[in-house]
Amino acid sequence: MDHLTILHAKTLLKSSSLSIKEISNELHFEETSVFCRYFKRAVGISPKTYRNE
């Protein structure tokens, strides 16, 4: 489950123009900050940094 959530997040970050807030809502996180911490814990970098790489 976690792997699929992270994979979906990575895909949305790289291939869409959705904001990080919109992506966190799409993935059913109640707070953007929770999504950002979850992503950083799993990937090692923040969603913003991942998108900009």
Side-chain angles (χ1 to χ4, degrees):
M1 182 69 177
D2 287 345
H3 177 71
L4 291 176
T5 302
I6 291 298
L7 194 59
H8 192 195
K10 284 180 170 182
T11 302
L12 289 171
L13 285 164
K14 288 292 189 181
S15 65
S16 77
S17 60
L18 294 173
S19 70
I20 291 171
K21 180 180 171 101
E22 290 170 321
I23 291 171
S24 71
N25 290 339
E26 171 91 15
L27 297 173
H28 308 291
F29 284 86
E30 293 196 17
E31 297 288 333
T32 304
S33 61
V34 174
F35 166 70
C36 290
R37 282 195 306 271
Y38 174 85
F39 188 91
K40 188 167 186 172
R41 194 176 314 121
V43 180
I45 56 176
S46 71
K48 184 177 180 180
T49 303
Y50 181 82
R51 173 175 263 169
N52 293 331
E53 284 188 339

